[in-house]
Amino acid sequence: MSLKGFAATNFQIRYHEERLSGSEREEDEDDVEAALKKEVGQIRTSTEQKLRRFQSVESGANNVVFIRTRGIEPENLVHHILKDMHATKKKKTRVILRMLPISGTCKAFMEDMKKYAETFFEPWFKAPNKGTFQIVYKARNNSHMSREEVIKELAGIVGSLNPENKVDLNNPQYTIVVEIIKNVCCLSVVRDYILFRKYNLQEVVKSNKDTQENPSTLTEDQSSKVVKPETEEEEKSSQEIKQENENHSETEAESKGSDVLTV
């Protein structure tokens, strides 16, 4: 083979090798580009999930659903929904029993709750702000908290913020809602709790006539005024029946729907 022919063959081999190297580089670039697009897509999806106005969050308790809100005040949102349902009397849900806003959370231990409540209650109850109030309490999957102790301590904090804050169990301006789920205490201060039937979406759409025909929708204080036993034996029997009815109502309600807590 002449030198000229050897050089041409050598050149073809080198050209072929360089062409393969270029193809491999193009494949590598395609792989990098695909990986970048995939990563950008994942970041975008994750960001969109974080930016959702409403997002479901695991509550850790049966018949309780947490809805996380973004850019919306839970108290105003829930109050607006209940106000609309109360005015129109249109039933808009079958499975939601109650809807409660959650404005703050802390550990469900007495010292943590007291420390947190001292600051949390200020916008409503610290002088010069004042108002009548009641406290409603419910615990789920928790046995170490005492209902009486929690209500007593929180009422004491409200009174210390302004002595003019008074308890009113019939028609309070504010209702302090305490919902304990496992080791988490959820707190909120709501308006029109009695008017909106304890924020019960099934009851708030009923007319006044329906409410009068069904005494079970009355408040606990009003119900106690309806029946007034004259003897200790009758009183004891009445309390047993009342407790049995309350247990039955709570079980029946939980089987029909869930509570929605908006945070």
Side-chain angles (χ1 to χ4, degrees), residues 2 17-18 41 100 129 150 192 197 219 250:
S2 64
E17 290 176 349
E18 289 177 358
L100 293 169
N129 298 327
V150 170
D192 299 320
R197 313 287 169 81
T219 63
E250 185 174 351

Side-chain angles (χ1 to χ4, degrees), residues 12-162:
Q12 290 176 355
I13 294 173
R14 288 183 177 179
Y15 175 76
H16 182 65
E17 290 176 349
E18 289 177 358
R19 186 171 57 184
L20 288 176
S21 299
S23 176
E24 291 175 355
R25 284 197 297 271
E26 288 178 0
E27 290 179 359
D28 290 342
E29 289 175 358
D30 290 341
D31 291 341
V32 172
E33 185 178 359
L36 286 174
K37 286 183 178 179
K38 183 179 180 181
E39 186 174 355
V40 170
Q42 291 175 345
I43 293 174
R44 184 175 297 170
T45 302
S46 177
T47 302
E48 289 176 353
Q49 290 177 347
K50 292 180 180 178
L51 297 180
R52 288 178 183 172
R53 295 182 70 189
F54 304 100
Q55 187 174 357
S56 177
V57 181
E58 180 63 34
S59 68
N62 294 331
N63 301 319
V64 179
V65 178
F66 271 112
I67 301 296
R68 177 182 294 162
T69 62
R70 178 180 179 272
I72 300 174
E73 292 294 334
E75 303 96 330
N76 296 334
L77 172 65
V78 175
H79 190 273
H80 175 78
I81 293 173
L82 286 161
K83 184 178 180 180
D84 176 68
M85 294 180 68
H86 181 266
T88 62
K89 299 301 179 184
K90 291 183 178 180
K91 189 174 182 179
K92 300 181 179 181
T93 176
R94 292 183 302 165
V95 297
I96 300 176
L97 187 65
R98 290 199 311 160
M99 180 177 286
L100 293 169
I102 299 299
S103 304
T105 60
C106 63
K107 293 181 179 179
F109 297 95
M110 201 64 253
E111 291 304 317
D112 295 278
M113 293 170 60
K114 287 167 61 177
K115 184 177 180 180
Y116 183 77
E118 289 174 356
T119 304
F120 177 78
F121 289 150
E122 288 183 357
W124 297 275
F125 301 112
K126 185 176 182 179
N129 298 327
K130 62 180 180 179
T132 57
F133 71 97
Q134 68 169 346
I135 300 175
V136 295
Y137 173 95
K138 188 168 186 177
R140 298 178 176 87
N141 300 346
N142 181 293
S143 58
H144 71 269
M145 298 299 298
S146 167
R147 177 181 181 275
E148 290 74 16
E149 182 183 5
V150 170
I151 292 177
K152 179 181 177 181
E153 293 292 343
L154 294 184
I157 292 172
V158 174
S160 67
L161 292 173
N162 187 343

Side-chain angles (χ1 to χ4, degrees), residues 182-201:
K182 292 187 176 181
N183 291 327
V184 178
C185 173
C186 304
L187 288 173
S188 59
V189 179
V190 302
R191 297 169 289 149
D192 299 320
Y193 189 76
I194 303 299
L195 176 65
F196 294 157
R197 313 287 169 81
K198 302 181 181 180
Y199 278 38
N200 187 313
L201 273 63

Side-chain angles (χ1 to χ4, degrees), residues 168-171 215 218-229 238-239 242:
D168 185 347
L169 301 180
N170 295 318
N171 189 27
L218 297 175
T219 63
E220 184 175 347
D221 294 304
Q222 290 171 327
S223 298
S224 64
K225 293 177 182 178
V226 174
V227 180
K228 190 175 181 181
S238 175
Q239 290 295 333
K242 181 180 177 182

